[in-house]
């Protein structure tokens, strides 16, 4: 947290304005990844020096574990400040926290519904009413541990899976469907419990969800463009059709003006996953059959390389496990950049 | 080996002409990777149906373990055939095998010298006399196991390292320096035992070396362009300055005519490594501090993504551990393509 | 296979008599463990020098991957020879192979039934009619890979799980239930598809099953005592109630005469698993929440230590994944020893 | 830390008396194990509710990562209280912290000397003057990261190794030699830089050292018996000659009265390592050639099983990497028990 501390010390960051902190941490990004919770604990300790406890706990901390390959651990601090003179439209940010998710609802329609309501609340917080203005919804969601499963079963409730690693995928998937429902991409009536984690035809183009052992509820951050907001930043999004499809991303970079040098990349957020067919454009991959390294780790490293090779930096937020986030084997990408012509 | 078998069955591949088989196999690419030896054993069993034992054993089998990320396991079969009418210059191939490397010489100048002589022999085999016509030298080299170390020490000899994983890096490094010496890039007189694996300023632009438990000698394959050869294929090379530097590779693709659509990519061979500074363009990476996944695995997955994103296929030969192969954190890349205007 | 080759060369092993070869190999014991298939391929190549193909293929090759901790890779070669003068009763061996298991039946009652029939056939082959005389049933069973799943689904069939690692557990579990059914421990009518891999109250005291990518059918080996057999060896079994319960094993060692020095340990075969409660005698363990190392690998290493500390050698056959093999968190153990007073 | 918190809340633990906290945490126990630092951070936050900062920082926090197999994460809180009536002799505890270790001294005689002085200080703190009364010296020592190495080299200093994982072994080894020197087992004059991590003939019978990224100095805890101390606890020690040698440990259990039921086991602390020969009593093991799982993890899991099988609980403190701690492949074991006849 030394970067955050010095940013606050030199006045670059105003702690009062912080809405959310997104971070890539260097654990395995799977069940026993304690770097996410350690980072949150350290961030809260730092912010507690500047803010009352209620403000510290009101911030959304979305830590995504796993900096495989050359991906770089880093924080994205999202802050909002009152400034009547700022140019509109601009990047708008909103956040919301849901209640704790009971273990037996994880990976079910119940979780989808809980998240959809939360996304609507975060959109309201961002002052965005048209779902088309939303470019990315980042969610941190819970997972099942052996202990949580045991407690639920002692209470006579059954869980969607007893495989703790698999519970991460179900939680990410249900959360992504919740985003799709909130943004009008998916009809809640069409979703069945059995679709979750299985029906790859059903996906959101703007959901990015990440599971972690360090929370029991959902922390939701919405990024979009709004006339109600002003400032130097803009956001756009694209969908990768597979792990090496850069067509859409290049389009978004063109629209933002990055390709033409009229704006600078501030942050890139993307989802990566192995694809259930076991093939990429016909060529067999081995991610799904590897029992030494989790498939999510493989996918982050590889897609991290694909995107870093394009944008020229490894300080990008690539998160693993894209269930219902973009098409099978692909995933959504959001890019935050300086507005064309604006100073960074 | 079903692909090789059907290629032979349908007459596409003539077993008599096979000079070398390069393969990416799906093990961990480290010490206990038995997929390399398993692949060689299966290839030899298949070829023994068509060739006498001496011919089977005269082929260079360069298996490189590790298909992290979406990298695809595949074989590259290099074959030469007499054809007086073929157009020149074209891709030329040569190979050589060295004697077994005594364990106590691994990672020393003795290994550098042994390899340099072997590379010269492979160049002669390819009919290439000018080192500038060499675009890639692929070497499979040995490593130390606990058993080999123990035997050497019982014989009163000391080894360069007792760390088996580290021995892979030293063997790759010494072999790469041997290539540099043979190609006139490096003066053998300037190399000291202590430079090997340490002096990152000393490197070859065309060496690609890979260590494996399945052999005790070096298997060397030289790829270049020669007026003495004809055919539909051409080869060129480039150097990546770091893990996301694509400038040189784009240049080679332009020269070969791939970018302009005048030729097709046949194979891409590249080396990947984490870089000893722990940073990529200033951003910290975690590959060197990760005790769960070997740094070579991280690097292959990431650079695999960087290159696959550029060329649009994951069936590329990315090998890990680029000690003295290209600059620190970067590595050489060779591209085989159809000659401009030639049919594939 | 050098040990097998020299055993045959010096006349200690008669290849014609070999019924089964059990081996611990040094892969990860999970989906992408190619050491099992590599070992089988090398064993068959060696035996083909001495036996016709039909005999080579009639042997049961039960390779169990994973020599975690100090567990030692080794082979157990089970051979039967005609000898009218040998002392009875003695260790009896029988084997059987089932047909290939269709992917959609893996982890279902269909697999249980197929295995039960196979165990009966192996008992008949061993000349054992009373199930109480059976002390161990070792089975090698298939698993699902991404490719097999994809093929089944293309054929309109659904599979019990799309998680390849999980398929190993389901296959082991269904096979163990098949043993229990054959030995009269479990009533087939009481088993439902949903019990498989879930109902830990249902188990066999003598099943040991191991899944591998290298086969599509089941290879079954039965070990027991029989008046129809003579020789220097005896077998007995015990059940570990949890991962550190040695009471039963000490009892079997007493009965065989090992504890009193009247006989020598020849082989020990055991199953290990983490236990679904996440606790061992009240103390939390972390095997089920570890995404870096598979729980089966943890369990093999730990139980390997428990048993090696008792018997004083690490050359023991500890296999992971004890679904329906012994009680939850425990597992069956078989001990082969010289008959009391007989020379080894 | 919930156990510590409730112990303090119910008066069982008096925070003022805490000298040291030893903990097994559930990370990989290697370089990128953040569970150790996370645990220390959580322990300090809890203790800061009860103690002034200087007291919180004066406690030795010895976190050892790695609960492989069924080893259980747990804390051992060592506390001393004034009580004139307590029975002597009894378990005595002392601690000391050294200054930060400069990176270039790690793994050299300089580190040995620094630790030897620290051990003497901890003995003085425990009120023990005779080295024979010392039964265990637990040390937490630093390691090298890519960043620390880079800083040292920028300052023109060379480090003993650039391999971060290997630096852990060198630090553990040098610290153990420091214990041997302080206890009169080893003559400092006989130790050369080149002995460290190599000369396995040179070892301490009571050193237990553990490296971690979370500290730059050494935290030293001495456990012994002293007439100056009273209380219900006693300590004794033994040396395992190899990974399955329980003779010495059984002897210590006899002396303490545990075997006869006259006392109860309170804590067991042991070191585990793979042994450099690659063999255990002649049988090959694969720990040193495994590039997927660190050898220290294998050894902890296996020796954890060996000892848990003996004492009947998996809540034991088994720490990996026993360089110069006991003979090659073996390690020291300390047992804390209730004094014979005393109530626990």
């Amino acid at each position: 947290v030394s970067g955050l501390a010095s940013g606050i010390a030199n006045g670059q960051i105003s702690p009062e304005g912080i809405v959310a902190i997104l971070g890539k941490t260097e654990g395995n990004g799977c069940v026993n990844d304690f770097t996410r919770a350690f980072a949150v604990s350290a961030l809260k300790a730092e912010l507690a020096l500047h803010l009352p406890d209620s403000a510290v706990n009101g911030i959304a901390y979305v830590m995504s574990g796993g900096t495989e390959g050359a991906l770089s651990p880093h924080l994205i601090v999202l802050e909002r400040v009152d400034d009547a003179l700022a140019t509109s439209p601009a990047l708008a940010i909103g956040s919301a926290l849901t209640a704790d998710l009971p273990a037996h609802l994880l990976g079910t329609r119940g979780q989808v519904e809980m998240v959809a309501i939360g996304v609507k609340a975060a959109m309201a917080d961002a002052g965005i009413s048209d779902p088309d203005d939303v470019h990315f919804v980042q969610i941190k969601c819970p997972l099942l541990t052996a202990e949580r499963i045991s407690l639920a079963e002692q209470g006579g409730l059954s869980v969607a899976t007893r495989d703790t690693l698999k519970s991460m995928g179900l939680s990410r998937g249900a959360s992504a469907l919740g985003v799709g429902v909130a943004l009008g991409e998916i009809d809640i009536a069409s979703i069945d419990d059995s679709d979750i984690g299985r029906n790859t035809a059903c996906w959101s183009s703007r959901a990015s969800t990440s599971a972690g052992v360090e929370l029991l509820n959902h922390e939701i951050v919405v990024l979009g463009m709004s006339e109600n907001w002003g400032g130097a930043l803009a956001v756009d999004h694209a969908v990768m059709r597979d792990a090496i499809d850069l067509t859409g991303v290049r389009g978004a970079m063109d629209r933002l003006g990055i390709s033409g040098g009229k704006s600078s990349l501030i942050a890139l957020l993307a989802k990566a996953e192995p694809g259930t067919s076991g093939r990429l454009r016909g060529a067999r991959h081995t991610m799904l059959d590897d029992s030494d390294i989790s498939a999510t780790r493989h996918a982050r490293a590889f897609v991290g390389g694909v995107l870093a090779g394009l944008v020229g930096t490894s300080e990008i937020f690539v998160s693993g496990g894209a269930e219902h986030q973009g098409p099978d084997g692909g995933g959504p990408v959001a890019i935050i950049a300086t507005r064309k012509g604006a100073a960074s």
Side-chain angles (χ1 to χ4, degrees), chain A:
Chain A
V1 299
S2 56
L4 176 65
S6 72
I8 294 174
N10 67 25
Q12 213 184 343
I13 297 171
S14 163
E16 293 76 20
I18 298 176
V19 178
I21 302 182
L22 278 59
K24 283 301 304 177
T25 64
E26 56 191 290
N28 62 21
C30 300
V31 178
N32 62 326
D33 181 346
F34 299 96
T35 64
R36 295 175 302 226
F38 194 11
V40 170
S41 140
L43 286 168
K44 286 187 171 177
E46 170 61 28
L47 291 172
L49 304 176
H50 308 282
L51 296 173
D53 275 7
S54 61
V56 169
N57 292 322
I59 293 171
Y61 303 88
V62 182
M63 299 297 120
S64 162
T67 55
E68 293 81 5
L71 287 173
S72 188
H74 68 290
L75 297 175
I76 300 172
V77 179
L78 298 171
E79 187 187 348
R80 59 183 166 202
V81 183
D82 277 329
D83 180 357
L85 302 177
T87 317
S88 289
L91 172 67
I93 307 166
S95 71
L97 308 179
T98 72
D100 286 356
L101 178 75
H104 70 282
L105 288 186
L106 188 143
T108 70
R109 240 179 85 146
Q111 187 178 10
V112 177
E113 285 162 0
M114 179 185 270
V115 169
I117 293 166
V119 172
K120 288 284 188 192
M123 282 173 64
D125 184 54
I128 299 179
S129 51
D130 183 349
D132 287 352
D133 290 334
V134 172
H135 289 286
F136 214 59
V137 181
Q138 179 68 45
I139 297 181
K140 187 83 209 181
C141 55
L143 54 81
L144 299 178
T145 59
E147 210 152 32
R148 291 180 194 172
I149 294 167
S150 179
L151 275 172
E153 294 186 342
Q154 279 163 29
L157 297 165
S158 70
V159 291
T161 179
R162 290 167 77 181
D163 179 322
T164 56
L165 191 55
K166 197 169 179 182
S167 79
M168 299 180 77
L170 289 177
S171 184
R172 287 189 300 254
S175 297
L177 292 173
V179 175
V181 168
L183 300 187
E185 299 175 297
I186 301 167
D187 179 5
I188 180 75
S190 72
I191 300 174
D192 198 84
D193 279 2
S194 66
D195 287 319
I196 299 171
R198 291 186 169 254
N199 183 354
T200 56
C202 195
W203 47 271
S204 166
S205 63
R206 285 160 284 170
S208 168
T209 66
S210 176
V213 78
E214 69 277 13
L215 80 177
L216 295 169
N217 65 340
H218 302 81
E219 307 205 339
I220 302 173
V221 178
V222 161
L223 302 179
M225 289 297 283
S226 168
E227 286 291 344
N228 301 323
W229 286 62
L233 301 181
V235 64
D236 205 333
H237 80 277
V239 171
M240 292 174 78
R241 297 280 148 184
D242 63 29
I244 53 177
D245 170 35
L246 292 172
T247 316
V249 184
R250 284 202 185 94
M253 290 174 74
D254 286 347
R255 291 193 299 276
L256 286 163
I258 297 174
S259 318
K262 290 184 184 155
S263 79
S264 307
L265 179 83
I266 297 296
L268 181 149
L269 303 103
K271 290 298 301 190
E273 71 173 3
T276 61
S277 71
R279 295 190 170 263
L280 172 57
R281 300 192 185 178
R284 181 170 71 93
H285 65 72
T286 61
M287 297 188 268
L288 297 170
D289 289 342
D290 191 343
S291 308
D292 296 312
I293 300 180
S294 160
T296 50
R297 306 200 74 182
H298 277 293
R300 269 193 300 269
F302 186 81
V303 175
V306 170
L307 291 166
L310 178 68
V311 299
T313 174
S314 56
E315 218 171 53
I316 54 182
F317 188 97
V318 180
S319 162
E323 298 84 356
H324 303 301
Q325 301 149 68
D328 189 14
V333 178
I335 298 175
I336 300 176
T338 54
R339 276 198 306 105
K340 282 186 219 182
S344 171

